[in-house]
Amino acid sequence: MASVKTTTPRETGSAAVESRPVAIVLFGSPGSGKGTQAKYIVDWLGIPQISTGDMLREHIRGGDAIGQAIQGRMNAGSLVSDELVNQLVFERIHKPDCEHGFILDGYPRTTAQAEAMRRLLAASRAEEVVIHLVVDYNVIISRISGRRVCPKCGTLYNAVSHPPKTEGICDLDGSRLVTRDDDREEVVRERLTQYENQTRPLIDFFRNTTGRLIEVDASGDGPEQVFKCIQAELKDLVRR
Ligand code: AMP
């Protein structure tokens, strides 16, 4: 596994090199490719993906109290409560596999979550790197409507930009691909409205306060090309 290192600016030029966990925040609208890029980064850096959407869907599948409480909101494309997602992320980042760092995919989505995230990162001494995947609105609509997911391993496909080798079947485990409930058109519209109102404004929060913000044009190029740009920007995070 590649490990991750960061050097804080005040240490540059001195002999001291301090290893801190890195928190990669993947930021962008629904359909911007956060999940796909997260999986590339997992393979590259060996740090886990923390997808709040996946964690919430897991609760729904398990039919537990949390799952029952959030199912209606998720199926309608609304955000679930800040308290719940903050708690889920808090518990997740304290697991041993997050020791060297982690990728936040789909979190934070509100100002209250961003503030809670900052407190969490400060407590775990993690260095924050924000990657903003910038995508044109029309591209988003066509991507989401063609999106299919493997219900078993979570791999994402797209009929146009990233088709499976056999139509409707996961390349990795042969499962039949499905459309997520909240990828239906009316729900997608609501998710994009939520994004515009609650999440997009966070980009100003990050521009003003984060130490490191990388903005990548993720509209035109294929996912591998986008990942190459991210890799080039983050190559200092890999210690070989
Ligand atoms: P995603 O898979 O990231 O697109 O998330 C799917 C759905 O899960 C969203 O439309 C929300 O209903 C819910 N969700 C995921 N992450 C969050 C979050 N950070 N805050 C609130 N709701 C979330």
Side-chain angles (χ1 to χ4, degrees):
M1 180 182 99
S3 68
V4 174
K5 80 156 188 187
T6 63
T7 306
T8 54
R10 78 191 131 68
E11 291 164 339
T12 308
S14 81
V17 175
E18 182 191 11
S19 275
R20 294 166 59 197
V22 64
I24 297 180
V25 180
L26 278 171
F27 186 82
S29 73
S32 59
K34 298 187 297 293
T36 302
Q37 294 305 321
K39 288 189 167 47
Y40 282 123
I41 299 171
V42 167
D43 290 344
W44 178 47
L45 293 179
I47 55 176
Q49 170 191 14
I50 300 180
S51 158
T52 43
D54 285 350
M55 287 195 281
L56 295 167
R57 279 185 287 277
E58 190 78 20
H59 281 286
I60 292 177
R61 265 199 300 277
D64 60 18
I66 292 180
Q68 288 170 20
I70 62 177
Q71 187 159 24
R73 289 193 72 77
M74 277 189 66
N75 286 347
S78 305
L79 297 184
V80 309
S81 78
D82 292 332
E83 291 72 21
L84 174 62
V85 284
N86 288 340
Q87 183 63 26
L88 290 176
V89 172
F90 176 85
E91 286 167 11
R92 183 65 188 85
I93 70 170
H94 286 93
K95 299 231 160 107
D97 63 337
C98 292
E99 190 189 354
H100 298 292
F102 44 86
I103 302 156
L104 294 173
D105 162 10
Y107 177 89
R109 265 172 149 106
T110 64
T111 307
Q113 291 177 24
E115 286 164 353
M117 178 196 76
R118 281 281 160 78
R119 289 191 292 275
L120 287 181
L121 299 191
S124 53
R125 302 185 62 254
E127 186 197 90
E128 176 181 306
V129 178
V130 181
I131 301 174
H132 179 198
L133 299 173
V134 184
V135 184
D136 184 80
Y137 187 85
N138 292 326
V139 174
I140 289 169
I141 301 287
S142 83
R143 272 190 196 167
I144 299 186
S145 57
R147 186 151 77 175
R148 301 290 178 272
V149 62
C150 172
K152 196 164 168 200
C153 69
T155 302
L156 291 169
Y157 296 89
N158 186 282
V160 181
S161 58
H162 178 44
K165 291 190 186 100
T166 308
E167 197 186 322
I169 302 293
C170 178
D171 293 347
L172 303 184
D173 59 32
S175 301
R176 182 158 292 283
L177 303 178
V178 297
T179 303
R180 263 170 42 178
D181 279 346
D182 61 352
D183 279 346
R184 283 173 294 124
E185 196 185 324
E186 67 279 14
V187 182
V188 169
R189 250 187 261 119
E190 177 58 23
R191 287 167 64 202
L192 289 172
T193 303
Q194 299 268 339
Y195 176 78
E196 287 301 322
N197 294 340
Q198 306 214 52
T199 309
R200 190 199 280 282
L202 282 184
I203 199 62
D204 287 330
F205 171 90
F206 287 129
R207 283 202 180 111
N208 294 331
T209 61
T210 196
R212 195 161 173 195
L213 172 66
I214 295 160
E215 307 221 54
V216 184
D217 178 0
S219 272
D221 295 324
E224 289 90 2
Q225 204 51 42
V226 172
F227 176 57
K228 278 192 188 134
C229 293
I230 292 174
Q231 260 185 321
E233 292 283 348
L234 298 186
K235 56 182 180 300
D236 61 300
L237 294 182
V238 184
R239 182 165 49 198
R240 291 176 192 284

